[in-house]
Structures are given as structure tokens and as C-alpha cells.
Amino acid sequence: MVPGEDGPLVPKEGMFWSCRQSIFNEMKKKFSQIENAADEPRVLCIVQDTTSCKTINERITLNLPASTSVRQLFDDVASKVGYVSGTFSLKFGNGDMTELDAAQGQSLLDAGFEAGKKNFLHLTDKNGEQPQLTSDESGTADSSGLDDSTQEKFIGPLPRDGSVGCTSDYVSQNYSYSSLLSKSDTGYVGLVNQAMTCYLNSLLQTLFMTPEFRNALYKWAFEESEEDPVTSIPYQLQRLFVLLQTSKKRAIETTDVTRSFGWDSSEAWQQHDVQELCRVMFDALEQKWKQTEQADLINQLYQGKLKDYVRCLECGYESWRIDTFLDIPLVIRPYGSSTAFGSVEEALHAFIQPETLDGPNQYFCERCKKKCDARKGLRFLHFPYLLTLQLKRFDFDYTSMHRIKLNDRMTFPEELDMSPFIDVEDESPQTESCTDSGAENEGSCHSDQMSNDFCSDDTLDEGICLESSNSVDKPNKSPEKNSLYELFSVMVHSGSAAGGHYYACIKSFADDQWYSFNDQHVSRITPEDIKKTYGGSTGNRGYYSSAFASSTNAYMLMYRLKNPARNARFLEASDFPEHIKSLVQKEKEQEEEEKRQREIERNTCKLKLFCMHPVKQILMENKLEVHKDKTMKEAVEIAYKIMDLEGVVPLDCCRLVKYDEFHDYLERSYEDEEDRPMGLLLGGIKSSYMFDLLLETKRPDQVFQSYKPGEVMVKVYVVDLKTETIAAPVSVRAYLSQTIQEFKQLISKSIDLPPEHMRIVLERCYNDLRLLSVPNKTLKAEGFFRSNKVFVESSDSTDHQLSFPDSHLWKLLDRHANTIRLYVSLPEHVPGSHASRSTCLKSCGDFCERVKGSSKSVDAILEESTEKLKSLSLQQQEESGNGDSSKSTEGSDFENIDSPLNEADSSGSADNRELENRILPADPENNFPSEERSDSDINNDRSTSSVDSDILSSSHSSDTLCNADNAPIPLANGLDTHSITSSRRSKANEGKKETWDTAEEDSGTDSEYDESGKSRGEAQYMYFKAEMNSGEEGSREGQKCLLVNVDKRITLSAFKQQLEPFVGVSSSQFKVFRVYASNQEFESVRLNETLSSFSDDNKITIRLGRALKKGEYRVKVFQLLVNEAEPCKFLLDAVFAKGMSVRQSKEELIPQLREQCGLELSIDRFRLRKKTWKNPGTVFLDYHMYENEISISSNWEVFLEVLEDCEKMKSMSQLSLLTKRWRPSQLRLDPFQEIVLETNSVLELKEKICELSGIALENLEFAKGRGTFPCDISVLEIHQDLDWNPKVSTLNAWPLYISDDGAVIFYRDKTEELIELTDEQRNELMKKESSRLQKTGHRVTYSPRKEKALKIYLDGASNKDAAQD
């Protein structure tokens, strides 16, 4: 259609057909391309990103037509991984990698790619620079071509997963290892947040973006001969600024700067105020720059002057002084007002607004010689070149007594005219200078409006640790010619008064562009974003939302005077002084070296390395780091040096093999691959590998075995039924597809055993023994895995004719699996001579040897020895009955324990009588048998302390200890204890239901004898062998130690009976303590439980003392000392029984208290009461019965309280309370006194207290104590902190809730006034109270984490004395 002569559109002939033909041709071309592409071969490209350790495991796959150009390949890879095309390199090849040219227009086939096969490529850095992320390129207006207003800006803390609050590093969500190393597209470098150093980062970036400060810092030359560069603050700042200007990194560390401050790593976790840091750092720089050209730099740039004056309103006389300031603190909300100032200008007017001194605050006029009304205020005399305004957003709320942050809206202009605030009045001759009346403050202003926001400890000294002398300047009378300032830095705080995050919004004087410097992240922002930092409840406030929306606001502003003659520009690199140029070169070289090291790090394979030392025979572990291009041969040399095998074994006798430590499995060896690179052999560089490497060694005459992938490793243990021994394992490798018959042939060749009668037993998971009896079954079907353990026996004995569970082989393997090795420490001085114990050891050893060497079966020997011991027991019972009738039945039972340790030959009677005498010697001094010795007698022995270890309150079956992996120790039967693992029930116990006595379980102890009096140890013989072991570590001199190999299915009762000959007393007269980590000991008391919870190399300590019987409990007795600093004192361990009355237990305690504690008490002058941690509870009355009225349990604790008079508590309806009087006029607490109430009436409580103290009932006030007994509280807090005189009528109501004995009641006379203290007296008393309460474990009051004063140490190291801390 074209316009006609009259204007309307008319059809043009042929145009329609022309458009139609062009569309048809285009479609035909497209279909042709599709058809060709369908027939075209494809190239499969697998690309691995090796630019960082986090992307090393990431792979992308591209299936491209073979005609695709190399340039298009780069574009496709870039779009897949999110990098900018042209900022990375691609290396291609399955062996030697060759770099592709991104500008190549040739096809993939011409470039060497193979169609229909996998083509591997590595994505690497280009020219040592990290690839640029597409998000970085498109995130700004400059790179995307979009206007700033279309971009989303982050001017607040950027979110990071796992961050809480604002005290950690705030980084972009796209932040990665790669982005950290690449410079921001803004051209500026960020600073790494060490932990809570965001306040430092904000100030450093502001100073760096100040041309006058940066240029002056560059002009200062460091003299290394005069100062250590590590401790030089100006030099480290200089280095930091050079890196910020020249580094190619995204962010750099500030650790060198903080180290020059004298800070350690703990300072990084202390957040401070940015204004405080600015003042302290400026002071430190002034001290460091003394006698240099920069000596007065801080004052020239940041110092202003003001006049503090008082003018008499009657005569006009004015007194004044001159102060200097580095910043002006502006109040957000005046004290007592609910309305905040709306702008900085309003706050400045309020700052210089004078106040009238009248009434009681009148000023004494020197001229009038009397007190007169006066006007007091401040006047600015001179503003600095760089004006710093601190918005005082942190205040103290005297209602809640907490610090708060004021988030009110306060605007600030981009250009600030300070001329309305300057003092232009000439000084009147009536005024008098008083510049000597006060000291100058080179930090913040001094005025009544500028009180410290925070309550801090008076002993804390903020600032640098060096006193400085200040000069006094005279007032400047000339007004400022130019007072127009431009805003260039806004330091923003986001958070609350308890903590938060700082970041800086800074305008660059180079391009007048605003930037957000948020730790590592630097981004462009607009002036509109600056307005969002005004605070208040309107508008978007950055990252924080919801409750924290208004907590992001400006805290510190920096303005620069607009003066073209003085305004400086940043020094260019060509204008740098020579010492800065050399520093730049030095830092560049160091950065290049770091880049090279990172490159090496990214191309380094890191694996665990193991080696079985050929001489020491211990498995050594280390870490192998080898470059991916190093060959296997070179890696062996590195591992050889790491394992320090030089001189032990030749290098050519070592090789590296693939190893699985968890399964102890050799996966494969690398034959004929010594020259291949490790990167290919290990499958590339990975952050972690699923396998390890083993440095395998051999003797020169040996040949390395080949390990092929797919094989399984089998450790073969050869069993000899005749000698009942199990040989050391032999490693055999097999395939899962092999049959049992083939596997037998393989074993036969390896260990030279005939396969005809061979029996193979596989030990599967959980020590399940499985006889492999089906010849045609495969190893995989039988349950073989990577690493396996089999037992092989090949003999022509008839044992193989028996069923496997009934065979001698099964019994031998079962005993082998259940035998554990224990170290038993005996008492230092046990009854009986050393010779008798030696004879006993020989006797036990002979028995074990005879069992081992006898041709009879074990069961036959046991049966024979048991019959002889039973006949011996009957004979001894008759002798004991005719001899000494005073012996108890229980003692008789203990004498007649059947034990397989006794001799079992024809002369067994005499030998066993001798052994019996050695086991149960009589005490010649006390003239009674050892089993009847009291606890006090036994405790007199040096081996038994008066304070026993805690009793294990629960069953040992819940205990778990790691099995120490020590070298194999052959047992008496030749078993390898190293291979012993967790318990396995024997065949004999499979059908037998274990008997558990409910009463015994509840009591926490078990009787060693059943109801018929028969020893539980007689039920079934369990393997036991003991021998002296004097070399046990940790054993004291003179202490004997046994090495015991025992079947862990033995009960504790039978185990104790086996130990009787070695301890020298009856099993009822010693206790067994299990030793845990850190040498903690717990008594094992459940006699009918087995040792199944024990494992190899566990330690046991034997202590003399009566063991618990059924229904008995061991009780810890503590003395209650209510008026002592430590009210809880341990006395002794006692034994209480069910059914015993409290009076009976007191009667038994009296002799023990006399002998062990030196306490001479009568039964009516002490009481027992409940103990709950340190709190005294219910008073136990004499007629109360344990278990009936008083619940008792294992590990029970009880208080013993000595009484001054006879017991007042006669009934359970009574209530015993502890009262303490508070005397406010003396700031003193009286000692505790007990009162006994008949009811729970508050009135009766008051009457009892009045009777006790003499206070009138109407003047009495009381309060319940808080916390743990004795409810300590500071005398500075008790008067107002406790809930005095609660309005209740009964004690069991809120807020008292007193329903049991032992509650603490404070009382006072309300007519007694609180003494007034001076500040000095209060501080001194606070220190004393704090020291007293810390000793008793109580605190003066709750307070959050104590703030540490911000200090910069000029000598480079902090002094850690208490005064500075």
C-alpha cells in the first residue's frame, strides 16, 4: 500500500506477490538447514570448569553440529556457565591439552574434534585473570547501557545464607571464590570483613576516597631502619591504599592494618563505634607522625574550634574558654522530648542554643561578686576543611535501663552552609579569657549537651595507650569567608544498639558518582539511595525489612569545604612519589606470586596417604599434595620423602596403589603407568576423593602383586584345631564371579593347603559366621564385598562331619571372637604376701596351659575340674561348720566359690586348700575373717580413698567405648585379639532366655548368688586368663596390673570371682571400677550383667571395700554448713538398704563419721535431709523408712546437718525454713537461723520471725531468696531487687511457692533506712561484692557481653594486664 495523490492508501501492483515470494524463499532456506543439520554428524563436548576449587567438579555437556565454529563454541560455553565470552580460555585434548583460539572461524572438525565421541575441554583463566561473571557485566549502567534508575541498587547489607544480624561478612548472593579474585566493574576494590570489622572498613574506605588525606599519606616516606613495618600504622595504611588503588582483586584483607594497631584475632570479634575508631586512629596517627611533615595533618584537615562561654545577664561579664573538635555530635532527640529534630540544620541550631542558668543553677559572677542569672552556650569560631558530623543515634533509656537506638528521620543536605552557625561577634573588653580553666579535647566537643551515651566502667580508659600534651589556642576572631560544604561520605549503621552492621556510601570526587562500599561489595548508587538513609518509617530502607526496616540510617556524615583553590584531585600513578612507585611494584610482584600460588593450588591433587612402616609395622598416615602434571613416578618420590623411608627401604621397592581405608581394601595398582600424569590417573582435580593412596613397600627379593579393578580382597586366617591356634592373616584377591570351589583352589595355591577337606567360614557383618558349603555358589551370592575376612581349616579330622554349630571349629571361632583384653589395676597393698600371689598366678597359668595342651576336650576338662571343686566345697563347709560357728552363712558361701582356676588333678584337694587360704586370709590384728571387715577398716588401707568415685547409676550395657586398634597380642589359646570385635551369643545361650530380677534391676545392684545360694558363676564356664603386666602406662609405683584375656560373655559376678586370687580378698570385699576417658572412674555394680559393653584394652581399677548386696545402695553423704562460704562439704560414702529406718542409718554413720571424718556426734544432734544439687530439702525423720517413705536410688546424695539443739522437726506437717536478716543501715546480712512452722500460714511465718528478731509485726517485710542455696545476692541490689512483702496469705501460693523444707527467707525492718554511699564507697563495695559472689559461683547482676574499650597500641602489641582489659 502506498499513498495516492489525494492522500488515502491504495494497493501497489506486484508488492503483495513480492513479499510472499521472499517469505517463501526464507522458509525454504530454513527447512534446508534443518534437513542438513539432521544428517550432519554431532560433536559431544564435555567442559570442566577449573577456574576455582568450587567449580572443579562442575561439568557441562554440549552436543553441537560438527560444522559449529570455534567462536560459536565459546559463546555457547559462556552462556552455559554464566561467564562473559572472551574472559576465559578453553583447552582441548584427551592427553596434552592445547588452547583454542576464540577468534577462530574454523569448524570443530577442522579444529581436531571427533564426531560421535567424547571431547574433553578445560575452562581456565585467561592471562591469569578470573573469568568475568555475566551478572557483573550486566549489573551496572555502564556495561549494560541502561540508566542507573533501571538498576536495582544494594546500599544496605547484602544477604548471605546463614548470616544473623549484621556482624558477619555481607556479600552478594553471586559471591564466590572466583568473584573474590576479580575486581569489581566499578573499578574500586572492597575490604574483607574479618568478623566484625565492618566499622573499620567503612572508615578506611572514606579516608581512601578523601583526596587530601590519601595524597598526604602517599607523600610520607617510611624509613624501615627506624621502625618495624609490621607495627607502623602509617605504612600499613599506605600499603592498604596502594592496594585499593592498584589491585585487581575484588576485595583485600585488612589484617596487616589491624596487626599494626596491636590487635589480635579476638579484636576482630569486637564491634566498636565508627566515630570512636575515627578519634582513636587520628590520635594514633598524630603520635606516629610527630616531627614529620604530616605532624599537623589531622588538625589541618579535621580540627575546628569553638568557644564555651558563660555570660552574666546583669553586668554582661563573660567567661569563656577555647575548645577544639574533630567532629560535632548532633543530638537526634533532645533529652526528655518525644520529638526528634527533623534535619541536621535544626540539630546544629540546637547545638549552639544557649541555656539560662537561674534559680538553684545561678552562676557566680566574678564582677558582681554574687550569684546571678547567666546564659551558657557554645559558639563555633572556626570550621575544619573536612567537617565530620556524628548523629547521636545511640542513647540510654532510663526507664528500661538499656541502651537504645533512635531511628528517627533526620535529613541532611548535599550542600551544607555553615555560615549561620559561626560566631562573628568581636570579643568585648568586658570578657575575660579563662583558657586555663579546662583542657582541650582533640576528639569530640565538650558541652553539657554531649554527655556520654553509654554507661561504661570508670576503670576503662578509651583511646590510645599514650598520654599526649596539648597546646591551647587563642580564639579566632575573624569570620569564615567560605562556609559552603559538600557531602561526600555517609557512614550508615544498620541494626540496634546491641549490634549491627556498618557500610559507607561515598561520592567519588573523580566522577561525582555515588558508590556503596559494603565490605567486599562495591556498587554504584544514586543520590536517591542516599535519601533512604535518613531513617524514619517512610520509604525503602535497603536490605532490612519488617521490624528492622527503620534500623538502617545514617550515623556519621563527612563534608568537604567547597574551595576550588584548596580542593585536591587524586594523585595519578604517574605522579606517585618514588617510594610509592616502588611500593606499587612490590605489591604487584607479591600479587602475581599469590596468583601463581593459587594457580598451583587449583592444579594440585590432595589425598590421604597411608603407609605400613616396613620396620615398625604401624600404619602411618599423612597428606599427599601433588601437581596434576606430575607423573606417577614423581609422586612416588614425593610420598617416599613424606613418609621418611629413606634408609629404611629403597625407593625402587615402593609404589603407590589405590586404597580404601574404611574397608582396608587395595582397589588397584598402576602397573606400566609410571609416566602418566596424576591428574589423569586420579580422574582429575577434586575437592575430595572417594579413595586414598597407599605407599606399598616390598623386600628387594619380592615382586609386587598386581591389583586389578573389580577384585575383592580376602584376609585368610588359617585355623589349627589340634593346637587351637589361628595364624596371622594372608591376603588373597579374588573375583566376585568365582565359585566357592574355585576360591578353594585359589586359597590352596596361596597358603599350600589341600582343598579336599577345606572348610571356609566367612565372617560377615555383625560377626555372623557362615560356613561356605555350596561349591557352585559365587562369592557375590555368599555376601562377599570389597574387603572380607574368612577362616580356613583343612584337616582329615572327624570334626567336619559334625554340624557347624556343634563343631569344634565353631566353638574355637566363637571363643576367638568374644575374647577381649583388659588391663586390671590391683590395689597397691592387698592382703596376702607377694609369694602367695605369685603362686596363684602360676596356678592359674598352669591351669590354662593344661587346658591348652590337654588332648581332652575343653568341656571334659571343665567337667572334671567342676566335680573336684564341688567335693572340695562340701569338705570345706564341714570344716568351717565344726571350726568357727561365728562365721555367717554368707561368709561360708563366699568361701566355697567354685572356680576353674583351681587345680584339677588328683592332688587338687591340698592345692585348693592352699589356694583357699591365699584367697581369704585372716586379719591378725582384728581377729576376724577378711570378708567381715567393715568399710572403715578397709578404708584405712592406702588403696582405698575416703572419697570414692561416683557410682554408675545405670547399666553398663549402655556404655560405648571405641575399640583401640592396637597390634595383635596372642592369647593363651593362640587367638589373635586384634581381630576381636563386638559380642556374639554362643550356641549354648541361643535357646536360653536370660533371667532378669525386677527388684534387682530397680535396686541398681544384683546379688552374686541366686535364691538357692548357688553361685551364678557356676552356670557356665567362660574363658579367663590373667598374667601380671608391670609395664602398663599410668600405673603408679608399687601398683600391680593384670593383663586379663576373658570371654566378654562372662558376668560381672563370675569375673569378680576369677579375680579373687589376685586381689586376695573375697569378691564381696572389693569393688570394680571401669576407667573411662580422662581417667574418670565409675563403679560397675550390676553383677548379673556381662562384660559385653567392654572392648579391647579397656581399663579396670579394683578398690577394696564392701561391694553392694541386693537391695543396697551406695549413698554420698555431704555436710550442710549453712553459714559457711561453701555450704556443701563431702564427708564419706555410706551404704543404705531397703527397709532400713533413718535412725538405723544414722547409727551406722556415727562410727564411720568418727573414724573417717573426726566428727563426734550423738544420734540426736544431727539430722539427714534431702539433697537436690546444692539445695537442702525435706528433713528425714528418724522413723522414716527407706524405699517406703523415702525414695532411694543409685548414686543417691544426702545432706547431714549438725544441730545446735535437739531436733525440732517431729512431724511431716511441719515446715523448716532458713531465715536471714538484711540490715540496710549497715549494708549487712546476718547469719542463717532456722524456724519451724506448724502450718503454711504467712502470718505464722511473720510471727516466728518477729519472735526471733524483735521487729514489730507491722514493720516486718520479707522476701523469698532466688536461685541456688544459699541464694547469695549483692548487698547493693538486695534492697530493691527482691520482691519484698508479697501480698499472700499462704506460703504455697504465688509468688512464694514454698511447700518443702529448706526455702530461704530474707527479712528486714522497713523503718531502717538504707545508708547513703559516696561514689567512691559504692565502687569499692561493688568490687568486693563482685569478688565475693564470683567465688561462690553467683553473679552480681545480669549484663550482656562486656564491651572492650577500643584501643590502638602504638608499640604494635597490646598489654594484656588487667588494668587495660
Side-chain angles (χ1 to χ4, degrees), residues 1157-1202:
C1157 308
L1159 292 177
E1160 194 69 43
L1161 300 174
S1162 63
I1163 196 167
D1164 295 326
R1165 287 304 177 94
F1166 74 95
R1167 65 161 65 131
L1168 299 180
R1169 64 190 305 168
K1170 183 179 179 181
K1171 178 180 181 290
T1172 307
W1173 195 32
K1174 292 185 178 181
N1175 299 311
T1178 307
V1179 175
F1180 299 146
L1181 304 181
D1182 285 353
Y1183 57 83
H1184 283 164
M1185 305 287 288
Y1186 295 115
E1187 194 65 28
N1188 295 332
E1189 288 91 357
I1190 303 174
S1191 297
I1192 188 170
S1193 61
S1194 297
N1195 207 24
W1196 201 49
E1197 294 181 348
V1198 67
F1199 267 130
L1200 182 149
E1201 184 180 7
V1202 180

Side-chain angles (χ1 to χ4, degrees), residues 91 96 109 218 224 257 331 343 905 997 1058 1061:
K91 292 183 179 181
D96 296 332
L109 284 179
Y218 282 172
E224 192 166 355
V257 175
V331 174
S343 65
D905 56 7
D997 190 327
Q1058 299 285 9

Side-chain angles (χ1 to χ4, degrees), residues 327 388 639 1185:
D327 56 68
T388 304
M1185 305 287 288

